[in-house]
Amino acid sequence: MKIPTQKQLDKAYREAVAVHKKYLARHGVKLPGETTHKATWLAMLMHYHAKDRNHQVHKDEISGAVRRRHPQAGHDQQVRHLKRDGWNVIGSRGSHRLDPYRPSPQFVNEQARKRGRLGADSFEKLKKAFGYSCATCGAAEGKPDVRYGGDDIVLQQGHQNPAKPGDDLNNIIPQCQFCNRSYKSDFTFDNKGRVRAVAAVGPVRRAGKEVQRAIFEWLKGEFS
Ligand SMILES: [Zn+2]
């Protein structure tokens, strides 16, 4: 096996910087600093991607390139760890290739989980299951809504139960921005988007005195 020259790798790294800026930075993918071991991993993957996008590079070759530049580096460079930084490294059993135009799906899902939301792919499937319409009011995604001055409908991730995690597919329903905004976290919904129960005191506070009294009487019995 012949390792690409340092000049070729420097060029590949510059390509990685350009691709990162154009396609990946906005997803939060981290670019390794030019003199790091990771930069050499990336440059190797990028170099071979440019030659043949299906070619898989063995990690021993990548370790060889790292050790040429950093002689004290280990023999077993863990290239797949680039995935943690968001790079879409594909492969198994020590051989890898890079898809430099999109972040790794696991990274996207992890970012979504940290934000307490579903990943884009999962939400897309869920929207499809609901016919690309609001689970609660049925408004169609992308269509102007006459109720709200003709604003286009945007489907958002509504929580069936606001007290439960927002990254759980079983707890999310697609809701238009108007339903999502007006119900806030005041209610729970069933899996068809219908209101099931109050989830906060707000709706009780806004209720009429008669309703409040009825609730009060019932609660007295429940809790005494
Ligand atoms: Zn709606």
Side-chain angles (χ1 to χ4, degrees), residues 57-171:
V57 198
H58 195 269
K59 66 181 164 67
D60 287 351
E61 274 180 73
I62 295 176
S63 297
V66 172
R67 287 171 54 77
R68 185 179 60 197
R69 203 173 187 195
H70 309 274
Q72 76 293 354
H75 285 274
D76 192 21
Q77 299 286 311
Q78 296 298 317
V79 181
R80 62 194 159 78
H81 288 174
L82 272 176
K83 276 199 267 195
R84 288 185 195 159
D85 294 341
W87 294 87
N88 197 11
V89 176
I90 301 154
S92 57
R93 289 197 286 275
S95 289
H96 306 280
R97 65 183 177 87
L98 178 69
D99 171 1
Y101 303 113
R102 69 198 73 189
S104 114
Q106 297 96 316
F107 179 79
V108 172
N109 286 335
E110 179 64 12
Q111 296 288 100
R113 194 188 63 72
K114 283 184 188 156
R115 293 194 309 268
R117 300 169 66 76
L118 293 180
D121 288 353
S122 306
F123 189 48
E124 195 58 33
K125 283 187 192 121
L126 189 68
K127 286 197 293 186
K128 192 176 177 196
F130 280 82
Y132 296 97
S133 55
C134 173
T136 300
C137 75
E141 184 177 39
K143 298 265 164 62
D145 193 308
V146 290
R147 300 171 302 174
Y148 300 98
D151 282 6
D152 285 352
I153 292 293
V154 177
L155 293 181
Q156 300 176 337
Q157 299 187 16
H159 295 78
Q160 281 186 48
N161 184 341
K164 286 187 176 170
D167 59 331
D168 179 357
L169 196 58
N170 296 314
N171 189 35

